[in-house]
Amino acid sequence: MIPGLSPPLPATGPRALFAKAIRILLIGSGATLTVSAVINLVAAWQLIDAAEEQSLGIIRQEILGWYTGALVAGLLLIYLGLLRGRK
């Protein structure tokens, strides 16, 4: 076990089931957020041009920055879910 991290998952009982559910929830949420961010990054890159920037009042790089933040958050959730399951 790495010092400073949470203890490994319990082996049996309701606490083990709850811990496994949290782990699955973290990984599933992270995967959903990551896929959504990647799709939106590609869409923003291809669809936002000068006309849309003027009508929206924001630049394409700003939108890409938002989705990059969502991508990082999704990868962090996946990492935490995988890290939580290590014994």
Side-chain angles (χ1 to χ4, degrees):
M1 187 169 98
I2 300 171
L5 294 179
S6 60
L9 295 175
T12 59
R15 190 165 180 223
L17 184 63
F18 182 71
K20 187 173 183 178
I22 293 293
R23 179 177 180 227
I24 291 171
L25 182 66
L26 282 172
I27 294 171
S29 300
T32 302
L33 189 58
T34 300
V35 170
S36 175
V38 168
I39 290 170
N40 285 319
L41 277 168
V42 171
W45 182 261
Q46 292 182 351
L47 298 176
I48 304 292
D49 60 0
E52 281 82 17
E53 286 179 359
Q54 284 182 344
S55 68
L56 294 172
I58 53 177
I59 60 174
R60 177 175 28 179
Q61 302 304 346
E62 187 176 354
I63 296 171
L64 293 177
W66 296 339
Y67 292 126
T68 302
L71 178 65
V72 169
L75 292 173
L76 180 64
L77 286 173
I78 292 171
Y79 176 74
L80 290 174
L82 293 174
L83 186 68
R84 181 78 181 144
R86 289 191 183 160
K87 291 186 178 191

